[in-house]
Amino acid sequence: MIFYFSATGNSYWIARLLGEHFALPLVSVTEAARKGAYRYDVSASERLLFVFPVHSWGPSLSMLSFIRRMELTGYAGQPVHAVCSCGDNCGRTDRILQRALRKRGLTLLGTYSVTMPNSYILLPSFDIDPEPVAARKLAEAPARVEAIIRAIETGHGDPSLYHAGRFAPLESRLVYPLFRRFIRGRTRFHATDACIRCGLCVTVCPEGNIRMEGDRPVWSDRCVQCLACIHRCPTRAVEDGTKTQNKGRYRNPEVC
């Protein structure tokens, strides 16, 4: 079974390739949260995989929340691996995830990373990748996923397929805890007059943080800055105050 969280489609694309190769069903963390469904029978699964994006050098908060809530029946020591998508490097995401899974009785055998186009646009100097850079990352990704598949099949893991980065300890021990502590809550997200009232932002939010009031979406105080609402809005109607007005939007072209 493959448990995945994806905001812009990058991690879903990875999960889909893994699911096709290993013939494993996919479980969306976003859908699980919407339905309140956290109990899964994994007795028929040869292996368990967790696929998610790296946010601020750690696992996406929605994936960690799912892991804390999940109840797996039929688990009999099947191998557990994780694959994360990242714009550059992952810090110590592998160790943070390992600790989270260990608390649930799961032993993580290997963590792998796939470099995908950047999508974080909330800080002043951050924007999506220029088109040539994004195209290069997307072109190189299939071979990386194939290498990860081979590593998972061996059952031993391959450290060369995980890009921690030069400053991994600093990034994950300092920046990520601050991200987890201060990022969740109220935002300045809002819908402009370009909103067509499609409700997609409500559907894709993994935290149930967006609701429709009248003809406009309204954000509550449980945002985890996954940016699914911003990037997947079909009319670019979602903004974070004024700081995202002139920045790009990104959706994986293969799935979104």
Side-chain angles (χ1 to χ4, degrees):
M1 190 168 287
I2 300 176
F3 301 101
Y4 78 91
F5 170 67
S6 187
T8 63
N10 285 337
S11 293
Y12 171 64
W13 175 79
I14 295 169
R16 190 174 67 182
L17 291 181
L18 295 172
E20 291 172 353
H21 180 86
F22 291 113
L24 292 173
L26 272 59
V27 174
S28 165
V29 166
T30 299
E31 286 301 309
R34 284 175 58 83
K35 298 176 181 178
Y38 296 102
R39 187 179 179 86
Y40 298 93
D41 182 0
V42 299
S43 58
S45 292
E46 182 180 355
R47 54 177 50 88
L48 302 180
L49 303 177
F50 292 84
V51 183
F52 56 91
V54 171
H55 288 168
S56 207
W57 298 289
S60 58
L61 298 186
S62 295
M63 176 55 80
L64 287 184
S65 178
F66 173 81
I67 290 172
R68 287 194 298 270
R69 290 175 169 84
M70 69 179 185
E71 297 180 24
L72 305 183
T73 62
Y75 176 68
Q78 296 97 315
V80 180
H81 295 269
V83 182
C84 53
S85 60
C86 62
D88 185 11
N89 58 70
C90 304
R92 292 304 182 188
T93 293
D94 55 342
R95 298 185 183 182
I96 297 169
L97 184 70
Q98 183 181 50
R99 289 194 294 269
L101 290 174
R102 187 185 300 125
K103 291 179 181 179
R104 306 313 314 277
L106 303 180
T107 300
L108 184 63
L109 297 182
T111 304
Y112 315 93
S113 63
V114 183
T115 302
M116 301 293 282
N118 280 302
S119 61
Y120 193 75
I121 61 174
L122 298 191
L123 291 177
S125 60
F126 286 60
D127 204 343
I128 64 171
D129 287 327
E131 187 173 341
V133 175
R136 174 181 56 78
K137 290 181 178 181
L138 291 170
E140 294 173 351
R144 179 73 166 198
V145 175
E146 285 296 324
I148 290 171
I149 287 173
R150 292 192 295 271
I152 291 174
E153 288 177 330
T154 67
H156 301 297
D158 184 346
S160 70
L161 294 175
Y162 179 80
H163 182 43
R166 182 179 178 184
F167 302 105
L170 175 65
E171 291 162 340
S172 292
R173 293 176 185 173
L174 178 61
V175 180
Y176 185 64
L178 293 174
F179 176 82
R180 292 184 64 174
R181 180 175 180 181
F182 296 110
I183 218 64
R184 186 188 297 271
R186 293 190 176 276
T187 70
R188 297 180 64 194
F189 292 169
H190 67 280
T192 69
D193 290 340
C195 177
I196 58 174
R197 310 171 189 86
C198 67
L200 180 61
C201 55
V202 177
T203 302
V204 301
C205 178
E207 301 298 312
N209 188 52
I210 309 173
R211 66 186 185 279
M212 296 297 292
E213 285 191 0
D215 61 354
R216 288 291 177 90
V218 175
W219 281 255
S220 188
D221 59 357
R222 298 184 303 278
C223 179
V224 293
Q225 289 197 10
C226 73
L227 306 193
C229 59
I230 288 182
H231 287 293
R232 295 177 64 177
C233 176
T235 60
R236 287 186 54 126
V238 179
E239 301 283 3
D240 179 21
T242 60
K243 60 187 175 185
T244 56
Q245 287 180 349
N246 297 315
K247 294 188 177 182
R249 302 294 192 269
Y250 170 79
R251 292 178 291 175
N252 185 288
E254 296 296 324
V255 298
C256 292

